Amino acid sequence: MTLQLFAHPFSSYCQKVLTALYENDTPFEMRVLGPDTPDVAAEWCALWPMKRMPLLKDGDETVMEATVIIEHLGLAHPGPTRFLPSDPTAALKARMMDRFFDNYIMTPMQKFVFNHIRPEADRDAYGVNEAKAMLDDAYGWLDGVMAGSEWAAGDTFGLADCAAAPSLFYADWVHPIPETLVHISAYRARLLARPSFARAVDEARPYRDFFPLGAPDRD
């Protein structure tokens, strides 16, 4: 049975899973969530009342949360790219880096976006400043990590890089990576050049006008 991914091409967490699917040329059906597809949205809500995307339907199994979806793909639909190393200790590092990108890059990046779409009277300047500080700390730490590594968790592309790609892509839009942090900038460029993520980025281009802060004229 064909995999079904309930997602939207412009969503950062959806791009995380799309990168994994494209990495191994895994066949799937894209169930686009949007105002023009109320039937898809109704099915998605029935499957996952938390109403968070992406969601993967694999036969009778429903898999939620981007990281878990990618681990599921590695177990149930393996391909040439292994998202987690077979060595348990190395796998722990990959999982830690995955959490780093989700919690300390993706989450503060989204704070900028969600704050902007709120009514002006409800905006949280203090929270945005906290998000800026978190990104600055995360950028500084990550630059040191990437000084000696091609990919986030070692020499091969995997789970952590699927998380890193949309995180750094959008974070640099809302709070640019300082020019002095050359290792992060080089890593972000490698991610954008990776065919699997490049495909996800290209498929999302028609939606850039929807970016609340205004998508920069680059990437």
Side-chain angles (χ1 to χ4, degrees):
M1 184 177 292
T2 302
L3 295 171
Q4 297 180 61
L5 183 70
F6 292 77
H8 191 280
F10 201 49
S11 160
S12 54
Y13 280 112
C14 295
Q15 288 182 3
K16 177 177 174 178
V17 171
L18 286 167
T19 299
L21 287 163
Y22 295 152
E23 187 69 25
N24 281 331
D25 292 323
T26 305
F28 72 100
E29 178 187 356
M30 182 72 161
R31 305 293 304 281
V32 177
L33 293 163
D36 297 331
T37 55
D39 53 332
V40 177
E43 187 177 350
W44 168 59
C45 291
L47 290 167
W48 187 219
M50 297 307 293
K51 301 179 182 68
R52 293 294 183 271
M53 56 182 174
L55 178 146
L56 184 74
K57 193 80 166 58
D58 186 358
D60 295 330
E61 189 169 1
T62 301
V63 189
M64 289 77 76
E65 296 297 317
T67 296
V68 179
I69 291 172
I70 293 173
E71 291 211 35
H72 173 84
L73 291 172
L75 293 171
H77 304 275
T81 296
R82 296 189 59 172
F83 299 115
L84 284 174
S86 56
D87 176 71
T89 302
L92 276 181
K93 179 180 179 182
R95 289 190 174 101
M96 188 283 290
M97 292 301 296
D98 170 78
R99 304 320 306 137
F100 168 80
F101 287 112
D102 279 6
N103 292 328
Y104 305 121
I105 302 287
M106 191 95 79
T107 295
M109 176 275 293
Q110 290 184 328
K111 178 71 176 181
F112 287 79
V113 175
F114 294 149
N115 186 68
H116 191 81
I117 62 178
R118 289 177 176 175
E120 190 168 354
D122 296 327
R123 289 182 182 170
D124 180 13
Y126 183 85
V128 169
N129 285 333
E130 283 189 319
K132 287 179 181 177
M134 180 174 287
L135 280 176
D136 285 335
D137 289 343
Y139 287 162
W141 181 81
L142 181 62
D143 196 64
V145 172
M146 297 313 301
S149 184
E150 182 177 7
W151 301 110
D155 296 330
T156 58
F157 186 95
L159 169 66
D161 305 293
C162 293
S167 298
L168 291 174
F169 177 68
Y170 286 115
D172 190 50
W173 281 12
V174 303
H175 189 57
I177 297 167
E179 293 181 1
T180 55
L181 302 182
V182 295
H183 304 296
I184 299 181
S185 295
Y187 175 49
R188 185 177 182 273
R190 287 196 295 277
L191 291 167
L192 281 164
R194 188 82 177 185
S196 54
F197 183 56
R199 179 177 173 182
V201 170
D202 284 342
E203 290 176 346
R205 288 185 189 279
Y207 305 99
R208 288 194 177 192
D209 287 345
F210 297 155
F211 192 69
L213 299 168
D217 187 19
R218 57 182 171 87
D219 296 326

